[in-house]
Amino acid sequence: MLFDIRRRFNLLHKRRVAPHDLQSMHEGLLEESALERIYIILIVGSCVIATFGLLSNSAAVIIGAMIIAPLMLPIRGMAFGALEGNFQLFRTGLSSIVVGTLLAIVISWLIGMSVGLAEFGSEIFARSRPTLLDLGIAIAAGGISGFAKVEPKVSPTLAGTAIAVALMPPICVIGLGLSQANWSLSLGATILYLTNLLGITLSCMLIFLATGYTSLYRAKKALIWTVGLTTVLLVPLGFSFFRLTQQNRLEASVRRALLNRTVTFQRLVLIDSNINWLSNPPVVRLNVRSKDPVTPRQVALLEEFLAREMGQRFTLIFEVGQIEEVRREGVSGSSFDE
């Protein structure tokens, strides 16, 4: 028992990798983290693609930008440099991250100013409301990236893609928010970016520690700082997650109330519905089909009904498609023609 405790204590103070493997890790991460021409070109390219994808509300284009974004490389270098107390590696990684981030913000801001859209789409607003779920994604992505670095059999592209998903789009949303002086949009995207950055860094550190590339004794200070900074973000992330769950429950309750407890909806066919919680009061947009028109008076009565039932006011907007009954001569029956 005493021997086992002593052995574990010694492992905290010793690395479990060969010196030449450690040296190779240092050199590889330093080369990856360097602020070079290729890195800048990839940052510019991925930022332009992601920004146009966000403006066009195209998930496919945004995914294309995620694949080529190179931000995962200096993050790993910064994480390992912090663990080892290697100031050169830490400074190189941090410098590349800062320059890449600021460059992407400026480019997306310029594109946003040039395009001048009156309203942004859902892909942009989706990256302004981070929750605890985003932190979980970042931790998982960082773990994949760290494992890919220490395990040659894992494809680096797989890890890079996972991390790029979490970083470039929020940076572009920061710039787009600034282009319209939408401070709440930029603030939300900034929190998401910091959440992803810290989550990725922390999980990379834990992978490097677990695989024996550093000792707990040496890495303890850097881990404490990273965990502390990540913990600070748990407050806004936890609040956003609680609000998200409440909104989902409320959306379900609104649909049930409209469908099951109102006479108006007994003669309508509900196709789709969504709620914009950024408006005050929230806007409920309902896509319905009906043989008869929906009148403003009916909409007003439904809004009053929801206010009584839910304890909160909503603005209802109906998108009504007419239903025309078409029958074959001499045969009873009907069909919907949109």
Side-chain angles (χ1 to χ4, degrees), residues 175-250:
L176 290 174
L178 293 176
S179 71
Q180 289 195 353
N182 190 332
W183 312 120
S184 61
L185 181 65
S186 293
L187 178 60
T190 300
I191 295 175
L192 175 58
Y193 172 65
L194 293 176
T195 297
N196 294 329
L197 180 62
L198 288 171
I200 291 167
T201 302
L202 177 60
S203 55
C204 276
M205 288 180 170
L206 293 175
I207 290 295
F208 292 143
L209 178 63
T211 53
Y213 277 86
T214 188
S215 65
L216 181 59
Y217 178 77
R218 180 183 289 271
K220 181 170 61 175
K221 186 175 181 180
L223 280 173
I224 290 174
W225 273 100
T226 307
V227 170
L229 292 173
T230 306
T231 302
V232 172
L233 291 174
L234 291 179
V235 176
L237 294 177
F239 176 76
S240 297
F241 182 73
F242 174 76
R243 185 173 59 184
L244 176 66
T245 57
Q246 291 295 100
Q247 289 175 354
N248 285 340
R249 294 193 187 100
L250 192 56

Side-chain angles (χ1 to χ4, degrees), residues 32-43:
E32 289 180 356
S33 304
L35 186 61
E36 296 180 341
R37 179 175 59 90
I38 295 177
Y39 175 81
I40 296 296
I41 292 173
L42 290 177
I43 285 288

Side-chain angles (χ1 to χ4, degrees), residues 103-159:
L103 181 60
I105 291 175
V106 171
I107 292 173
S108 58
W109 173 73
L110 290 173
I111 294 175
M113 292 289 289
S114 301
V115 174
L117 288 183
E119 293 184 358
F120 290 142
S122 59
E123 290 288 344
I124 292 178
F125 286 111
R127 289 166 174 84
S128 65
R129 299 186 290 270
T131 69
L132 291 173
L133 301 177
D134 295 293
L135 180 59
I137 295 170
I139 291 175
I144 294 172
S145 176
F147 184 67
K149 186 60 181 176
V150 301
E151 177 51 66
K153 294 181 180 179
V154 179
S155 170
T157 304
L158 176 64

Side-chain angles (χ1 to χ4, degrees), residues 146-334:
F147 184 67
K149 186 60 181 176
V150 301
E151 177 51 66
K153 294 181 180 179
V154 179
S155 170
T157 304
L158 176 64
T161 301
I163 293 184
V165 167
L167 288 170
M168 184 53 74
I171 297 174
C172 297
V173 173
I174 295 173
L176 290 174
L178 293 176
S179 71
Q180 289 195 353
N182 190 332
W183 312 120
S184 61
L185 181 65
S186 293
L187 178 60
T190 300
I191 295 175
L192 175 58
Y193 172 65
L194 293 176
T195 297
N196 294 329
L197 180 62
L198 288 171
I200 291 167
T201 302
L202 177 60
S203 55
C204 276
M205 288 180 170
L206 293 175
I207 290 295
F208 292 143
L209 178 63
T211 53
Y213 277 86
T214 188
S215 65
L216 181 59
Y217 178 77
R218 180 183 289 271
K220 181 170 61 175
K221 186 175 181 180
L223 280 173
I224 290 174
W225 273 100
T226 307
V227 170
L229 292 173
T230 306
T231 302
V232 172
L233 291 174
L234 291 179
V235 176
L237 294 177
F239 176 76
S240 297
F241 182 73
F242 174 76
R243 185 173 59 184
L244 176 66
T245 57
Q246 291 295 100
Q247 289 175 354
N248 285 340
R249 294 193 187 100
L250 192 56
E251 285 184 22
S253 298
V254 168
R255 292 190 186 97
R256 285 196 299 269
L258 288 173
L259 290 172
N260 301 330
R261 303 186 61 183
T262 62
V263 175
T264 300
F265 264 89
Q266 293 179 5
R267 57 185 181 80
L268 300 179
V269 178
L270 179 63
I271 305 300
D272 189 23
S273 66
N274 65 79
I275 301 179
N276 180 8
W277 295 98
L278 298 178
S279 303
N280 187 23
V283 175
V284 183
R285 189 173 292 272
L286 300 151
N287 185 355
V288 300
R289 296 290 184 268
S290 174
K291 289 190 292 185
D292 302 316
V294 178
T295 66
R297 175 60 178 166
Q298 290 173 322
V299 174
L301 291 173
L302 286 173
E303 289 180 346
E304 294 174 4
F305 168 77
L306 281 181
R308 291 194 304 270
E309 290 293 312
M310 311 306 301
Q312 178 179 352
R313 295 202 63 83
F314 292 88
T315 299
L316 298 182
I317 299 178
F318 282 82
E319 298 176 352
V320 184
Q322 294 300 116
I323 295 177
E324 179 184 358
E325 287 192 351
V326 180
R327 303 185 183 188
R328 191 176 62 186
E329 291 185 3
V331 178
S332 62
S334 63

Side-chain angles (χ1 to χ4, degrees), residues 26-43 70-78 88-100:
H26 275 282
E27 293 174 355
L29 287 173
L30 188 60
E31 182 180 358
E32 289 180 356
S33 304
L35 186 61
E36 296 180 341
R37 179 175 59 90
I38 295 177
Y39 175 81
I40 296 296
I41 292 173
L42 290 177
I43 285 288
L71 285 165
M72 73 286 188
L73 301 177
I75 291 177
R76 292 192 301 203
M78 181 186 68
Q88 180 188 12
L89 181 56
F90 177 80
R91 182 184 61 185
T92 301
L94 181 61
S95 299
S96 296
I97 293 170
V98 171
V99 171

